[in-house]
Structures are given as C-alpha cells and as structure tokens.
C-alpha cells in the first residue's frame, strides 16, 4: 500500500497525482515499465518519446494505459518535424501531460490545452520561462547544472528562485534531487514539486541492464563530467574510460564513428533524409546549432542506446546527474516515492517548529 497524500501543491492539483514527484523523460530509460511504476506509486511518470518512432510511441502509450489508470505524461521534442503528429497521439489517447525539452510553438500549446492536456516545457533561463508562460504553458520545469543529460551551468539553487521570481505558474525543480530533504527544500523555495532522473534510472523498475545500474553505484561525487564532444552541446555523463577517451580524441578521429552512428540512427528512427534535414534546419533555427553539432546530435541517441539499453559501456555513454555520487541502492519506485514524501513532510514539520 502506497503512502497517502501528505503534501498538496499546485503540481498535485494541476495534474491530479498524489505526490509532487516527477520522473523525468530520459531517452532509452523512461519506458512503459518505469512510467507506470511511477504513476502507480503516486508520482508523475513521463515517457521519453524522442528515441521512439511514431508507431512505437503509440504502442508505449497503450502499454502504460494497460498498466495504470493514473495520470502520466509524454516528453516530446518541440523541434521535431513530426511534433504536431505526436501531439495528436496524446490527444487521441487522453494523455494527461505533454512535456517538452524545448519551448513548443504557441499554436501547439493552444491545441493541447484545448483538449485539457497540461503543457510543461523545460526551461534553462528566467526569460525562457516568461516566454512560455505568456504563450499559455501550465507549468515549467527547470534543471540546474547538477542534472544529467543536457544541462546548463547555473546551479539549481540560483536557477530555481530566479525562475520563481519571473513567473506565476507552477515551477518544478530538477537537478540534484534524490531524497525528501531536497523535496522539502524545493517546496520551501516556492517550487510545486521536484523532478528526478538519475534517481529513477537507479530503481528496480528501470529497464536499464542490472550490470549498468551497479556500475553507476560505484561512482563518487566526482564521477561525472560535462562535455560538448558527444553531441556539440553540454552533456553531463559518467566519467567512464570511453568518455575520457572521447574528451581526448580529435574531431577528425571522431568523424568516422560519428557518421556510422548517424546512419544507424536514421535506420532506427525510420526517418528519411528529408525528415532528418527538416529536423536539422529546425535545430539550427531554434538552437543555433552548427552543421557539425547537428551531425553529432543525430549520433548521440545511438551512443546512449549502446550504454543504457545494450549495456555496452565500451561503446556507449551513460548520462548521469551529480547525485549519482550519493546513491547506494536500487529501490522500487513505490519505495522511493514513499520515503521521499514521508521524509519531506517530516522535514517541513521540523522547519515549521522553528517559527517563533
């Protein structure tokens, strides 16, 4: 039996979940099993769709719905050429939340909201939060530099209050969270909840190979590195021998493997060269990426798949937040969420006792 609702926040009210805890949409990690386990435990599970074809996404949505009757979300690439078509899937199947790694266009936000879908873009700066709020976003998620995957340089403790001061919609804090103390701290700042990636990756419900999970648990607080040599954008990952080699390898030596993995991504995604070109143009327009960076971006999903799905740490990369250095167990999603919210409630009660 999961813990009863102990904390009521704008996030729990907006989405209809029991606890203000979000499992973020990690590529190759946030599949139906993890998402449904999170939802059944009272949190908000988010499917990662960027590494799925359109047909695979529909099947994943149906699988989650077969495993849980609780609200869940889907993370979408706002700059993908088929983003509108994927949003139609969310509408058709009654998905509760649409989250975006980048700001979706105003018309896309409006269409989702017309069908009572909660829109939650991720933002890295207060000005981006203001923009999507003015376009009608229901909430935003921020990720401080401590987070895994693509990340910025501003720590959560500075980014969170800056965004809270900039908008009056619910703000979810991510980057550096792993327990109830973090949730209590985020709520004290004024956040509506927390998002966790690495902590959910390292659960019994995660489909990441067991040997890879155990490898994660061997790393300390200095076990991650932020590099732009994987896909041209700052990306936090485990400091594996393979990543250390990438850091030291010249662009010329990386070219061959990059092209090979880009071709593998094209085959895996089912995208045509025209679709890839359209996505590339949109990346250039929205993110200002160079041609070299766009080539690397298509290469990255295959490197992540090698490590997180196939368990080949000699040929793949392992995205990780800095919290990996303080984790030492693999709980179920139910055990994790229960202890996070129970500890958070206790910490908030303790803090309340300080009031004169």
């Amino acid at each position: 039996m999961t813990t009863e609702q102990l904390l009521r926040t704008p996030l729990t009210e907006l989405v209809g979940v029991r606890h203000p805890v979000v499992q973020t949409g990690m590529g190759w990690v946030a599949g139906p099993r993890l998402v449904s386990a999170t939802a059944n435990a009272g949190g908000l599970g988010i499917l990662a769709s960027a590494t799925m074809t359109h047909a695979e996404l529909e099947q994943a949505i149906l699988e989650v719905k077969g495993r849980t009757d609780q609200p869940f979300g889907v993370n979408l690439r706002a700059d993908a050429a088929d983003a509108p078509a994927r949003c139609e899937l969310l509408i058709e199947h009654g998905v509760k939340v649409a989250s975006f790694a980048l700001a979706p266009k105003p018309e896309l936000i409006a269409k989702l909201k017309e069908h009572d879908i909660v829109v939650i873009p991720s933002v890295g700066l207060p000005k981006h939060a203001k923009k999507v709020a003015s376009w009608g976003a229901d909430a935003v998620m921020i990720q401080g530099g401590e987070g895994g995957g693509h990340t910025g340089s501003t720590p959560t403790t500075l980014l969170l209050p800056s965004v809270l001061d900039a908008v009056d919609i619910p703000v979810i804090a991510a980057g550096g969270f792993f327990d109830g103390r973090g949730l209590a701290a985020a709520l004290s700042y004024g956040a509506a909840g927390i998002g966790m990636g690495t902590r959910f990756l390292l659960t019994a419900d995660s489909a990441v190979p067991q040997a890879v999970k155990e490898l994660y648990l061997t790393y300390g607080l200095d076990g991650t590195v932020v590099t732009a040599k994987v896909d041209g954008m700052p990306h936090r990952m485990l400091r594996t021998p393979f990543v250390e080699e990438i850091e030291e390898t010249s662009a010329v030596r990386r070219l061959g493997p990059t092209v090979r993995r880009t071709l593998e991504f094209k085959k895996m995604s089912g995208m045509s060269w025209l679709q890839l070109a359209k996505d590339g143009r949109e990346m250039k327009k929205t993110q200002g990426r160079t041609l070299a960076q766009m080539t690397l971006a298509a290469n990255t999903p295959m490197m992540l798949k090698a490590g997180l799905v196939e368990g080949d740490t000699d040929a793949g990369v392992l995205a990780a937040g800095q919290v990996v250095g303080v984790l030492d167990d693999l709980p179920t999603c139910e055990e994790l969420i229960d202890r996070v919210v129970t500890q958070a409630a206790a910490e908030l009660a303790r803090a309340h006792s300080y009031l004169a």
Side-chain angles (χ1 to χ4, degrees):
M1 181 66 180
T2 57
T3 300
E4 64 181 14
Q5 185 171 25
L6 298 176
L7 304 166
R8 182 171 287 107
T9 77
L11 174 63
T12 62
E13 297 295 293
L14 177 67
V15 179
V17 292
R18 194 161 62 252
H19 306 305
V21 177
V22 179
Q23 162 255 304
T24 60
M26 300 163 281
W28 302 118
V29 176
R33 192 172 92 183
L34 182 61
V35 170
S36 58
T38 301
N40 284 328
L44 176 61
I46 297 180
L47 270 173
S49 78
T51 50
M52 299 178 186
T53 64
H54 186 277
E56 288 169 342
L57 173 57
E58 183 168 30
Q59 183 56 42
I61 290 172
L62 291 172
E63 185 176 342
V64 174
K65 292 181 69 175
R67 290 169 173 260
T68 183
D69 60 359
Q70 298 301 304
F72 67 97
V74 173
N75 181 256
L76 302 158
R77 270 187 52 207
D79 60 346
D82 66 345
R86 289 178 181 243
C87 286
E88 289 292 344
L89 280 181
L90 274 62
I91 294 168
E92 178 184 349
H93 295 291
V95 174
K96 183 64 179 179
V97 174
S99 77
F100 291 89
L102 296 169
K105 294 177 180 178
E107 53 267 31
L108 203 55
I109 295 176
K111 183 169 187 176
L112 290 165
K113 287 171 66 70
E114 282 176 13
H115 292 85
D116 297 321
I117 296 176
V118 176
V119 179
I120 307 178
S122 295
V123 298
L125 290 170
K127 65 180 181 180
H128 297 154
K130 284 183 177 180
K131 179 172 70 174
V132 295
S134 71
W135 289 352
D138 297 290
V140 292
M141 177 180 285
I142 63 102
Q143 178 181 294
E146 302 93 324
H150 290 115
T151 192
S153 58
T154 306
T156 303
T157 50
L158 296 179
L159 182 59
L160 176 57
S162 298
V163 173
L164 285 166
D165 287 343
V167 297
D168 58 5
I169 59 176
V171 177
I172 303 160
F177 295 100
F178 64 97
D179 67 0
R181 293 171 297 181
L183 174 55
L187 295 179
S188 295
Y189 268 104
I194 59 169
M196 299 189 294
T198 304
R199 177 64 280 191
F200 274 104
L201 184 156
L202 295 175
T203 60
D205 296 303
S206 161
V208 172
Q210 185 68 19
V212 175
K213 293 181 194 177
E214 292 172 358
L215 175 64
Y216 268 86
L217 295 180
T218 66
Y219 280 78
L221 283 171
D222 61 349
T224 64
V225 62
V226 176
T227 179
K229 291 190 175 181
V230 170
D231 67 358
M233 302 292 280
H235 201 124
R236 185 180 292 282
M237 57 195 66
L238 286 185
R239 195 189 294 271
T240 62
F242 179 58
V243 169
E244 296 279 16
E245 182 181 344
I246 290 175
E247 280 282 89
E248 297 170 2
T249 302
S250 70
V252 173
R253 288 185 62 190
R254 294 198 304 273
L255 180 61
T258 295
V259 171
R260 185 185 70 250
R261 283 187 289 261
T262 300
L263 292 172
E264 290 173 356
F265 173 69
K266 177 184 177 295
K267 182 178 179 181
M268 180 274 296
S269 66
M271 296 172 70
S272 67
W273 286 115
L274 179 60
Q275 287 174 309
L276 281 174
K278 286 181 177 178
D279 272 12
R281 285 199 301 271
E282 191 63 25
M283 279 187 183
K284 182 175 178 62
K285 178 181 175 183
T286 60
Q287 302 173 41
R289 292 199 187 193
T290 65
L291 177 61
Q293 287 174 325
M294 289 186 288
T295 303
L296 286 168
N299 155 61
T300 305
M302 305 315 297
M303 297 182 75
L304 288 166
K305 182 182 181 184
L308 295 171
V309 178
E310 299 162 2
D312 185 356
T313 56
D314 292 330
V317 297
L318 300 171
Q322 285 183 300
V323 297
V324 70
V326 297
L327 303 181
D328 59 7
D329 65 347
L330 301 170
T332 65
C333 288
E334 182 177 334
E335 290 167 343
L336 172 62
I337 292 176
D338 285 357
R339 75 190 189 194
V340 166
V341 296
T342 300
Q343 184 183 31
E347 290 297 328
L348 289 169
R350 182 173 64 84
H352 181 76
S353 72
Y354 294 160
L355 293 174

